[in-house]
Amino acid sequence: KKQLEDDLTNLRERNREDASEIDKLNVQNDQKGKESVDLAARIRALEYDIAKSLSRIDELNRVID
């Protein structure tokens, strides 16, 4: 009986540690998700700036030609 109680105690502790690790990983996953959204927005802004710059270059080339 003592051995089974010890095993149960050990399993409960391991389950607590695993649950804590899962919670930590869920927080990290949420943070990475938010970071991904922010980076995607930055990429869209940079693509827009690049497109504007290329358009301006085309306009200037037409003026020069």
Side-chain angles (χ1 to χ4, degrees):
K1 181 178 175 184
K2 175 70 171 141
Q3 179 62 41
L4 290 174
E5 288 173 349
D6 289 345
D7 289 347
L8 181 58
T9 300
N10 289 337
L11 284 173
R12 285 180 175 158
E13 178 59 29
R14 193 165 111 202
N15 284 345
R16 273 192 293 276
E17 291 170 359
D18 289 348
S20 176
E21 181 70 13
I22 288 169
D23 289 343
K24 182 177 126 184
L25 291 172
N26 281 332
V27 168
Q28 288 177 350
N29 190 45
D30 289 343
Q31 290 172 341
K32 294 297 180 183
K34 291 174 186 174
E35 182 180 339
S36 175
V37 169
D38 291 343
L39 290 173
R42 283 184 61 198
I43 288 169
R44 283 191 302 276
L46 290 171
E47 287 173 339
Y48 175 77
D49 289 345
I50 289 169
K52 253 178 35 178
S53 295
L54 289 173
S55 177
R56 182 70 178 135
I57 289 169
D58 286 343
E59 289 174 17
L60 291 173
N61 280 335
R62 274 187 243 122
V63 169
I64 293 172
D65 290 341

